[in-house]
Amino acid sequence: MTEKPILETNPADAQLMTQKRLVILRTMWLDGPNIWTYRSCIEALVDIQELEQFPSNLLPGFYERLTTWLPGLVDHRCGIGEPGGFLLRVREGTYAAHMLEHIVIELHTQAGLEVGFGKARMTSKEGVYKMVFRTPDPVVGMACLEAGVRLLHAAIEDTEYDLQAELKTIKRHCDMHGLGPSTQHILDAAYARRIPIVRLNDGNLVQLGHGEQQQRIWTAETSKTSAIAEGIASDKDLCKDLLAQCGVPVPEGEFAKTAERAWEIAQEIGLPVVVKPVDGNQGRGVSLELDKQTDIEKAWALAYEESYSGVIVEKFIRGVEHRVLVVNYQVAAVSRGELVCVHGDGQSTLQALIDQQINTDPRRGETEITPLKTIRIQTNPVVSLEVQRQGYTADSVVPAGAQVVIERNSNASEDVTDLIHPEIARLCCTAARVVGLDVAGIDLVCEHIDQPPKTQSLAVVEVNAGPGLLMHIKPAKGQARNVGKPIIESLFPGEANGRIPTISYSGGDEILGFGPELTEILQDQGHRVGLACDQGLVMNGRVITITPSANWQAGRNCLINKNLDTVVMQVKASAILSEGLPFDRSSLAIITSLGSINGLDEWDILNREQHFNVMRTVIDLVLSSGHAVINADEVSLLPLKELCDGKVIWISAIADNPVVDEHVKNGGMAVVCQGDSIHFKGNRAEAEARTPISLRQPPLNLIKTLALAASGWAMDVPHNLLRADIRQRY
């Protein structure tokens, strides 16, 4: 944070601070690249009022209260680049906006969210700061910001603060609005491949890539997950029949329409048996190793409550339950299950023993981020039936040394991926192929995962669509597996990244009409273009609206349209400042001037240097494989060359512009006007025989003409066609 020198104030004056507070004047959700960061964040305009006269070193007891509530602040590096840096600043004296930034980041961390980015900067108005922090969701971010303000005030005023209650509220917002751990894990793998990510709803439906190159995921279901395959997997009886017909060992069983029929089937196939819903998942309503009529009939009732389609009774297979994750018909991870038991002490009730011996496990909880769930006998009918079969209830005192089984299934928690026998692996892949699932969770019961199937009791008991990934991401024992990586590789094989050409352009009056004209050139070459600009929103030649559409929403509408293979978007400073940009990177960026600064004082942009720092965002986003077309005649734009990761194409209306000449001399590309012709310069121009394009008449807007020519070149428009397009206009 850029700060003014700490004021010399009499510490006794700090007693007057008991009612001094900061005020949040405005917040903005910047959903995409912006002036602060490439990723989504919240920018808050903060007025610290009288706190401007009271930095942290002049607030008695503030440091002690803050670090007591948030000891994790010790890890914040701040300006010195090492742990403890921020707290050093607090001891020496820093201002309220800076402290709020770090408090909000730490609240994210305490809620289980890794954000780690924030800044606080002074504005032109005394005591008013811009404070920004990264957050995965605007609702979650605002909850952290509001809780952070309350904590800061409590630490200043020495009042009570219930941190756990605040964190509980934040976590509830995370559960309601945040992505689930399986989805987030897949997105992390996509981000590592620099594949664009677009969240499509408040749940776990996410688009990967843009336009016609996109794929979609919904937790562990993908665009390649067949609806028919999902239907087969959910119909356990049908799934088992198909597997058996293809030689996959499955437990013998039948559909039971009534509890009485369930007992009859159990006697026919032999005890013990398993009773489960036809269309269940995640182990709900499944009861194992039943051998008494009353237990089987009770289990049927439990399974029936969980099912839309009925109940299956099948032979119980001796062995240990495993979950085998198959991605693109290859084994990606294997987890081994375990019986969940407690041991009596002769004094505690069964539920108390569960709370002491099981629910204290940090892997258990009520949120999606915990791989195992808290066990409550009274609210879990399957567990209740299980303990009743052993002669217990929740309130029973278990004798010392006695073991009580609490759960027999859905407890896969130990990674055994490296142990799976090749024949078992092939068997599981076959099961996934039979059903037709690109991502499948195979529930396998066997005695030894590392031995051949023929030497042991073994059966595939279920094939699941959209399997949970948390057991593989955070196993209780063994190695964590990056199962998101093979899912992404199956959706985007090889070097594919889901990108389509994304073109942004910026400037002043000289760029008027550029987007529609460039779109026509690209459409002439067969591109299906989405255009979002001041003239409206057009998708593949169809006018959606003629209202000004140089904004985040219109650009995003183009990016999610599967019918488009190219997007052209006008980028304005006001959109960067107030919304962020809808695309993460661009393949081509055109900037002919900084444009007008009028109206930007709303965001405290008051001079050309600040204006430049906003508009550089356009060039910052160019891919290393992309191009930037920049007006070399605008001196203010010359520093942009060093900010571009791709190749720069200078344009100039001056035949002997020294910047252009030096650039071309060093192997660069340029498009310039010489006499009544447009000339393409550089080694690539010579190799492609990019001869001059003579103009029939001087264009009214020469810079725009040069920008069109340079953009067509960057987009590999054949030279004869580009010449025809340019001459048709001029």
Side-chain angles (χ1 to χ4, degrees), residues 291-313:
D291 56 11
K292 293 183 175 62
Q293 180 177 357
T294 55
D295 292 341
I296 291 171
E297 291 177 348
K298 289 179 181 178
W300 183 93
L302 294 177
Y304 186 77
E305 290 181 4
E306 293 287 343
S307 176
Y308 294 105
S309 306
V311 178
I312 289 179
V313 177

Side-chain angles (χ1 to χ4, degrees), residues 10-245:
N10 187 339
D13 293 340
Q15 299 300 322
L16 301 176
M17 279 301 303
T18 54
Q19 297 301 319
K20 301 300 187 292
R21 296 184 163 218
L22 58 78
V23 175
I24 305 296
L25 301 177
R26 180 185 68 200
T27 59
M28 296 187 299
W29 169 237
L30 304 177
D31 195 6
N34 49 78
I35 62 171
W36 304 101
T37 173
Y38 284 100
R39 305 180 79 172
S40 300
C41 61
I42 287 177
E43 179 188 298
L45 192 64
V46 182
D47 186 350
I48 68 173
Q49 304 186 106
E50 287 86 349
L51 283 169
E52 184 78 352
Q53 309 304 319
F54 294 89
S56 55
N57 63 324
L58 300 181
L59 301 173
F62 175 83
Y63 180 93
E64 290 73 21
R65 289 187 288 274
L66 181 64
T67 53
T68 297
W69 284 327
L70 296 177
L73 289 172
V74 71
D75 295 325
H76 291 217
R77 296 172 176 267
C78 201
I80 67 173
E82 60 184 46
F86 169 66
L87 293 184
L88 178 62
R89 297 285 294 278
V90 176
R91 282 194 180 279
E92 293 176 344
T94 190
Y95 289 92
H98 183 210
M99 294 187 287
L100 179 61
E101 168 207 333
H102 283 269
I103 289 170
V104 171
I105 292 172
E106 183 60 22
L107 288 174
H108 276 81
T109 302
Q110 293 300 313
L113 301 170
E114 297 297 329
V115 291
F117 171 85
K119 288 184 182 294
R121 295 289 184 265
M122 292 183 293
T123 69
S124 59
K125 185 176 180 181
E126 180 75 12
V128 177
Y129 294 73
K130 289 182 180 179
M131 192 277 285
V132 64
F133 57 94
R134 186 178 296 151
T135 185
D137 179 85
V139 175
V140 173
M142 286 303 299
C144 289
L145 176 60
E146 292 166 2
V149 171
R150 288 190 288 269
L151 189 152
L152 180 64
H153 288 161
I156 292 172
E157 299 169 0
D158 192 13
T159 56
E160 292 185 359
Y161 184 79
D162 191 341
L163 176 62
Q164 294 308 311
E166 295 277 23
L167 289 176
K168 185 176 181 180
T169 299
I170 294 170
K171 290 177 181 179
R172 185 168 64 250
H173 285 301
C174 290
D175 291 342
M176 294 175 61
H177 301 281
L179 293 166
S182 294
T183 304
Q184 187 60 59
H185 179 71
I186 297 171
L187 297 190
D188 289 342
Y191 186 77
R193 285 270 301 271
R194 296 299 184 261
I195 294 169
I197 297 168
V198 181
R199 191 172 179 183
L200 297 176
N201 68 355
D202 289 337
N204 290 291
L205 178 61
V206 181
Q207 174 182 311
L208 304 176
H210 291 152
E212 69 170 11
Q213 296 298 320
Q214 69 179 268
Q215 299 285 349
R216 291 174 181 170
I217 63 167
W218 198 322
T219 311
E221 295 181 54
T222 78
S223 299
K224 296 184 178 181
T225 301
S226 161
I228 293 176
E230 185 179 1
I232 292 171
S234 66
D235 187 333
K236 304 305 181 186
D237 198 32
L238 172 61
C239 181
K240 191 170 65 173
D241 285 346
L242 292 175
L243 293 175
Q245 292 173 41

Side-chain angles (χ1 to χ4, degrees), residues 85 147 193 230 257 277 290 299 316 336 369 385 390 425-426 506 517 562 633 648 675 685:
R193 285 270 301 271
E230 185 179 1
K257 292 185 178 180
L290 307 174
F316 176 74
R336 177 159 55 201
I369 65 173
L385 176 59
Q390 300 168 73
R426 284 194 293 272
S506 304
E517 292 184 40
K562 297 186 75 170
D633 298 339
V648 170

